[in-house]
Amino acid sequence: MEVLPLQSRDRTGGRLYIVSTGPGDLQQMTPRALKALAEADSVIGNAFYLDLVEPLLAGKEVITSSMGREVERAKKALERAEHETVAMVSGGDAGVYGMASIVLEVVERSGSSVPVEVVPGVTAALSAASRLGSPLSGDFVTLSLSDLLTPWEVIEERLDLAFRMGVPVALYNPRSNGRPENLAKAVAIARRHATPTTPVGVVKNAFRKGEEILVTTLEAFEDRLDFVDMRSIAIVGGEESRLWRRDADVRGIITPRGYHRKYVY
């Protein structure tokens, strides 16, 4: 079976970039993402993510869309990409709970020959982890607590399996106004398998205005759930994760990779 590239430079006409903008600070965007936006005639995306890259959009047609209209957004981007260069903006990494899958599904079902390129970026779990120290140094799991597209029963089963593994778990979409109880349920599942002193870190608005960081333990976290919102990432440590301290101050979380079992340092 021959696998062809998603994008052909030989085709005349338009093209479609699915551009990952990273955590929101322009300095965290990749050079390729910056170049794709520079090449675009029009840029489409959720208003929140468009605002974060607003300095890069001068002279371009900007088409804003709201949450819940992802399919419509994907169809509009593909339609315009037949005759111009279009950038579909997606926060974090477009392939991790982002716009890449729905855009590619729309392209696939339409039978379109428009060249498509997915431009990767820094996903939220990694940007949050960098603010916490090194909580995701080895194996880890990412799970979304949003049950808009995945039944809660499925999410519960996945949470139970993940926490049984004893590895760190990064929780996306942890606590919405409409479903604030989902995070409490996830913490209850974690408590079945993890010790009360397991480190927990939350980063709100990573690399953006209003950034806040909380480092606590799984037991104490139950009293701080109201700190968390949909612009947060919560990371529950694994069996070997520990608080990173300097004297009496907690600086973050470290999950050792295992060097201490092989080397003296």
Side-chain angles (χ1 to χ4, degrees):
M1 179 178 68
E2 183 182 8
V3 179
L4 299 176
L6 284 176
Q7 179 162 325
S8 171
R9 292 293 181 180
D10 298 331
R11 180 186 185 275
T12 58
R15 64 185 66 253
L16 176 56
Y17 294 119
I18 308 171
V19 181
S20 306
T21 61
D25 185 332
L26 298 183
Q27 296 183 71
Q28 304 298 324
M29 291 180 67
T30 67
R32 182 70 188 118
L34 294 171
K35 187 172 187 296
L37 281 181
E39 292 178 7
D41 301 302
S42 60
V43 180
I44 301 176
N46 179 278
F48 174 75
Y49 298 111
L50 288 172
D51 286 345
L52 295 175
V53 297
E54 190 273 334
L56 306 176
L57 304 183
K60 304 181 185 300
E61 183 175 1
V62 178
I63 303 165
T64 61
S65 176
S66 59
M67 292 292 290
R69 306 185 73 174
E70 290 81 6
V71 174
E72 176 186 311
R73 197 183 313 159
K75 288 181 176 179
K76 182 176 293 186
L78 179 59
E79 178 184 346
R80 298 181 70 97
E82 291 287 349
H83 53 82
E84 64 182 68
T85 299
V86 179
M88 166 68 74
V89 166
S90 186
D93 183 285
V96 182
Y97 308 116
M99 286 296 298
S101 63
I102 183 57
V103 173
L104 295 181
E105 284 187 271
V106 167
V107 172
E108 178 186 47
R109 296 186 185 191
S110 72
S112 173
S113 61
V114 167
V116 181
E117 180 180 342
V118 180
V119 182
V122 180
T123 188
L126 302 185
S127 57
S130 73
R131 290 310 212 197
L132 293 169
S134 187
L136 305 179
S137 300
D139 299 327
F140 66 93
V141 174
T142 64
L143 282 168
S144 171
L145 299 189
S146 172
D147 54 3
L148 291 176
L149 300 175
T150 303
W152 179 252
E153 294 76 16
V154 174
I155 296 173
E156 280 190 313
E157 181 180 10
R158 292 173 180 174
L159 285 166
D160 188 70
L161 292 170
F163 287 120
R164 283 190 194 189
M165 293 169 62
V167 299
V169 178
L171 300 174
Y172 282 67
N173 305 310
R175 188 170 181 270
S176 68
N177 291 330
R179 287 169 296 281
E181 70 282 356
N182 286 5
L183 179 58
K185 292 177 182 178
V187 170
I189 294 171
R191 291 291 302 270
R192 297 176 196 164
H193 308 290
T195 65
T197 57
T198 297
V200 175
V202 179
V203 181
K204 183 186 299 185
N205 294 313
F207 291 95
R208 299 193 296 269
K209 183 178 179 180
E211 180 183 81
E212 296 181 80
I213 298 173
L214 169 69
V215 179
T216 184
T217 64
L218 186 57
E219 182 178 44
F221 187 41
E222 292 182 301
D223 295 324
R224 299 297 308 275
L225 299 184
D226 58 351
F227 174 83
V228 185
D229 60 18
M230 290 293 279
R231 294 180 181 173
S232 306
I233 290 289
I235 297 177
V236 180
E239 291 174 341
E240 295 193 319
S241 302
R242 57 180 170 81
L243 294 177
W244 172 29
R245 298 180 183 273
R246 172 175 289 175
D247 300 324
D249 296 328
V250 174
R251 301 190 65 190
I253 300 171
I254 296 175
T255 300
R257 282 196 63 194
Y259 288 105
H260 60 287
R261 288 190 285 268
K262 189 173 181 180
Y263 302 103
V264 176
Y265 53 90

